[in-house]
Amino acid sequence: MMLNDEEYQQALTTIGTIVSKLDSDYSIVEERGKDSIQQKQQGIVSNLMIRRRLKSVEDMLEIRIAVVGNVDAGKSTLLGVLTKGILDDGRGKARVNLFRHKHEIESGRTSSVGGEILGFDSQSKPVMHPAGSGRKLTWEEICTKASKVLSFVDLAGHEKYLKTTVFGMTGNAPEFVMLMVGANAGMIGMTKEHLGIALSLGIPVLVVVTKIDRCPPNILQNTIKELGTILKSKSCRKIPLFVETDTDVVMTAQNFVSERLCPIFQISNVTGEGLHLLRNFLNILPAQTKYDMEQPFHYEINETYSVPFVGTVVSGIMMSGVIHVGDRVVIGPDQSGNFNVTTIKGIQRKRVTVPAARAGQSVTFALKNIRRNAIRKGMVLLHYDKENPPAKCSTRFEAEVLVLYHSTTIKEKYQAMVHCGSVRQTASIIGMEKQLLRTGDRGMVQFEFVKNPEYLTIGKRMIFREGRTKGIGKVTRILE
């Protein structure tokens, strides 16, 4: 709709009245036609974002984004800049608060799966730490102000931490992957590796080229050309799209759900160039995965804690169903494949206590009468039903696999590390339909876990790897 200036202001006033009655706010995401006289004659067009004001943390919209890329691509720094609202000094000032261990601060390298959140309020303004006061907002304060929260999973870029990174990408169930590329380094090291993992898990990718302030123009040009070549190649089949204006932001964010599109941002954490486009994009980005609330409760554990005066606490992702404080659930499988009954004492979401949780949220539960050493990553919490005990866990399962890379051939008795959701364990091949598998081959393979039985669901994606060997697959059936 093309409006002149007066009609445009009138339309905004009307929308403002309507949305405030609906307990919401609006914000202008993008405007066209206000700059030049020629454009003004054509009329004004704008895109608005309408968002409800939040009543409680339970209803908060949450999107999980995994941040990957090679060592020194600036992953932790970008998260520090986005969430703290400060610019970097080029010496690692912005990333210090994100590290979890002493050795990470000293070497500047992330080695664990870090977490950071960025909130947007109902007027689409990012919830920032107050400038100049020196105090940081806690997660509780961010959540009370925000209507939408982006949870960033900060993963390690170094090759020796690949196991941790793969676990972070399968266990945290991210909806999007943000691939960071240093402009002066290009697509080196683990960048292609991480891109391959994201593609094999079928997660949409957005690319962020960092450090454009300290990179000569000819090298930046080479990096972008190489990036475009890789994204267009037969294995990726993506359409690279450079985001340079707010119009591009709106267009890519709305069409990003199709897996073909790959937006590319060029930013600098020191000068702040291009950061507003990235923030705007993250604000508009719609949640994508659909979770089923009607199904029985199913929750995957990907981290355990022992909290003083609380007891054992587990964190993870709710795959289906709804749960309330005081509900009885079963936890398992233990070493022998059995499930134990426990009660949920408390639920927290982004460090805020909530009475209930539903599918698709990442929450932490405090459990009753369970020792922390009896729990390991990869266990599940399931709906407690006295009549129907949960499905028996098995050490054996069948999967349809595709070998992405292997230097020789894969035969029976071959062992590899299997990642499937938050399950990660070594499994050996006990049966195959073909005699051997080479790079690029597909086939039905039967695996057996070496140590413990695991709870797997049919149709779940898995990755298996061992050294340089990589393969992907889908669980087709559970064997007795």
Side-chain angles (χ1 to χ4, degrees), residues 131-167:
S133 65
R135 71 174 280 274
K136 295 193 289 198
L137 286 179
T138 60
W139 283 28
E140 292 92 346
E141 291 173 302
I142 293 177
C143 290
T144 45
K145 293 180 182 177
S147 294
K148 170 182 180 176
V149 162
L150 297 156
S151 307
F152 291 106
V153 184
D154 187 16
L155 297 173
H158 200 280
E159 185 156 5
K160 70 177 176 186
Y161 304 127
L162 180 66
K163 173 181 163 190
T164 312
T165 305
V166 174
F167 176 71

Side-chain angles (χ1 to χ4, degrees), residues 222-347:
N222 289 352
T223 303
I224 285 170
K225 191 177 169 191
E226 186 187 7
L227 185 63
T229 315
I230 289 176
L231 288 172
K232 286 177 189 164
S233 70
K234 277 185 179 168
S235 49
C236 289
R237 292 214 183 119
K238 297 264 182 200
I239 305 162
L241 198 136
F242 291 94
V243 179
E244 278 152 11
T245 61
D246 279 335
T247 316
D248 295 347
V249 169
V250 175
M251 209 253 331
T252 46
Q254 286 171 342
N255 300 327
F256 190 37
V257 183
S258 76
E259 286 187 4
R260 292 292 303 278
L261 199 68
C262 178
I264 300 175
F265 295 87
Q266 298 175 44
I267 62 154
S268 160
N269 289 321
V270 177
T271 60
E273 187 186 340
L275 278 172
H276 67 285
L277 293 174
L278 184 57
R279 273 205 188 101
N280 206 352
F281 179 80
L282 293 171
N283 172 39
I284 307 172
L285 202 57
Q288 194 182 350
T289 13
K290 298 279 183 283
Y291 288 93
D292 200 344
M293 310 244 184
E294 307 300 318
Q295 293 287 334
F297 168 68
H298 175 197
Y299 174 88
E300 293 191 354
I301 297 172
N302 58 30
E303 190 75 80
T304 64
Y305 311 95
S306 185
V307 181
F309 310 113
V310 177
T312 307
V313 172
V314 295
S315 95
I317 312 278
M318 270 188 69
M319 292 297 164
S320 60
V322 179
I323 196 80
H324 298 83
V325 175
D327 284 359
R328 296 186 77 184
V329 292
V330 291
I331 183 167
D334 55 15
Q335 302 262 317
S336 51
N338 298 326
F339 284 85
N340 303 312
V341 181
T342 177
T343 308
I344 288 180
K345 283 197 295 189
I347 304 176

Side-chain angles (χ1 to χ4, degrees), residues 48-252:
L48 303 183
M49 178 78 163
I50 298 173
R51 197 173 271 158
R52 283 174 63 184
R53 295 180 199 136
L54 208 64
K55 297 281 196 318
S56 72
V57 183
E58 287 172 72
D59 307 326
M60 186 173 64
L61 178 69
E62 180 196 3
I63 295 180
R64 286 183 294 278
I65 299 180
V67 185
V68 295
N70 196 39
V71 173
D72 307 334
K75 297 183 288 297
S76 301
T77 302
L78 175 68
L79 292 193
V81 170
L82 283 176
T83 55
K84 305 283 181 280
I86 51 172
L87 287 177
D88 193 48
D89 60 351
R91 291 264 174 276
K93 171 183 160 192
R95 70 182 181 201
V96 174
N97 300 321
L98 269 73
F99 289 148
R100 291 171 55 174
H101 302 292
K102 185 169 175 249
H103 68 85
E104 294 184 334
I105 294 172
E106 285 163 2
S107 71
R109 280 191 185 148
T110 311
S111 67
S112 56
V113 177
E116 202 50 55
I117 63 173
L118 169 64
F120 288 99
D121 60 14
S122 54
Q123 294 170 356
S124 294
K125 294 194 182 88
V127 180
M128 289 295 181
H129 300 269
S133 65
R135 71 174 280 274
K136 295 193 289 198
L137 286 179
T138 60
W139 283 28
E140 292 92 346
E141 291 173 302
I142 293 177
C143 290
T144 45
K145 293 180 182 177
S147 294
K148 170 182 180 176
V149 162
L150 297 156
S151 307
F152 291 106
V153 184
D154 187 16
L155 297 173
H158 200 280
E159 185 156 5
K160 70 177 176 186
Y161 304 127
L162 180 66
K163 173 181 163 190
T164 312
T165 305
V166 174
F167 176 71
M169 281 174 82
T170 55
N172 287 304
E175 297 181 37
F176 301 100
V177 166
M178 190 150 90
L179 182 73
M180 312 281 294
V181 179
N184 48 1
M187 297 284 284
I188 55 163
M190 302 300 290
T191 314
K192 295 177 189 171
E193 199 84 22
H194 292 160
L195 178 61
I197 297 168
L199 292 170
S200 59
L201 290 169
I203 310 172
V205 179
L206 65 128
V207 179
V208 178
V209 180
T210 56
K211 306 186 189 183
I212 56 169
D213 56 301
R214 50 168 291 195
C215 179
N218 59 331
I219 294 181
L220 179 62
Q221 218 45 50
N222 289 352
T223 303
I224 285 170
K225 191 177 169 191
E226 186 187 7
L227 185 63
T229 315
I230 289 176
L231 288 172
K232 286 177 189 164
S233 70
K234 277 185 179 168
S235 49
C236 289
R237 292 214 183 119
K238 297 264 182 200
I239 305 162
L241 198 136
F242 291 94
V243 179
E244 278 152 11
T245 61
D246 279 335
T247 316
D248 295 347
V249 169
V250 175
M251 209 253 331
T252 46

